[in-house]
Amino acid sequence: MRALAVKAVGWARSFPVSKGVRAARQWTAWHLASLSWNNSAADTVHSVLLSVSELVTNAHLHAACTAHLVLTWDGSCLHVSVADSDPRLPGPSSADAGATGGRGLAIVATLADSWDVHAFHGGKAITACFRPWGGPAPHTGPPPGRGGARPS
């Protein structure tokens, strides 16, 4: 019987509201620099950094709590997860053209190859997948019937 070899690398850190979004972006950029595809996939790196900014901002603004950021590279997808202690799942945004907010999750949905939201006891986590060399079914969002409907 052949053993299943799983090779993944990951990092996790919590960012309290007082640390700010900038610290999360810098921490992410530092870890992305260690990945072999970093220099050949600049667009993906920029998409990841903007998505981290949006997701951590959402955790700080809407949940008013610490954002728990986890990055996991599994060889084909960089999973970016941000968890917070607010159990309310995000819904579609109805931001009008003049609104100064309400577009964060729509930005993540546009930049990521896929994304999903998971409820857990005491909060939720939003996870986005970024494939530096492209991937199947980009921008599909979560499956129908799951907590996070794709924003329009």
Side-chain angles (χ1 to χ4, degrees), residues 10-130:
W11 307 274
R13 183 164 175 197
S14 296
F15 293 92
V17 176
S18 63
K19 287 267 187 184
V21 175
R22 182 174 183 243
R25 217 177 22 250
Q26 289 174 329
W27 179 84
T28 300
W30 190 81
H31 287 293
L32 289 177
S34 72
L35 298 174
S36 61
W37 53 264
N38 181 295
N39 292 328
S40 63
D43 286 346
T44 302
V45 170
H46 293 299
S47 294
V48 168
L49 293 175
L50 179 55
S51 295
V52 163
S53 294
E54 293 297 335
L55 293 173
V56 171
T57 296
N58 283 351
H60 288 170
L61 287 177
H62 301 296
C65 69
T66 296
H68 306 283
L69 173 59
V70 177
L71 306 174
T72 309
W73 171 243
D74 66 9
S76 65
C77 176
L78 178 73
H79 303 272
V80 175
S81 296
V82 175
D84 62 50
S85 61
D86 184 355
R88 294 174 294 166
L89 299 178
S93 175
S94 59
D96 61 32
T100 59
R103 295 181 184 85
L105 200 50
I107 290 170
V108 173
T110 299
L111 295 174
D113 290 296
S114 61
W115 71 278
D116 201 355
V117 60
H118 298 87
F120 60 85
H121 181 67
K124 68 178 170 306
I126 297 174
T127 302
C129 169
F130 296 88

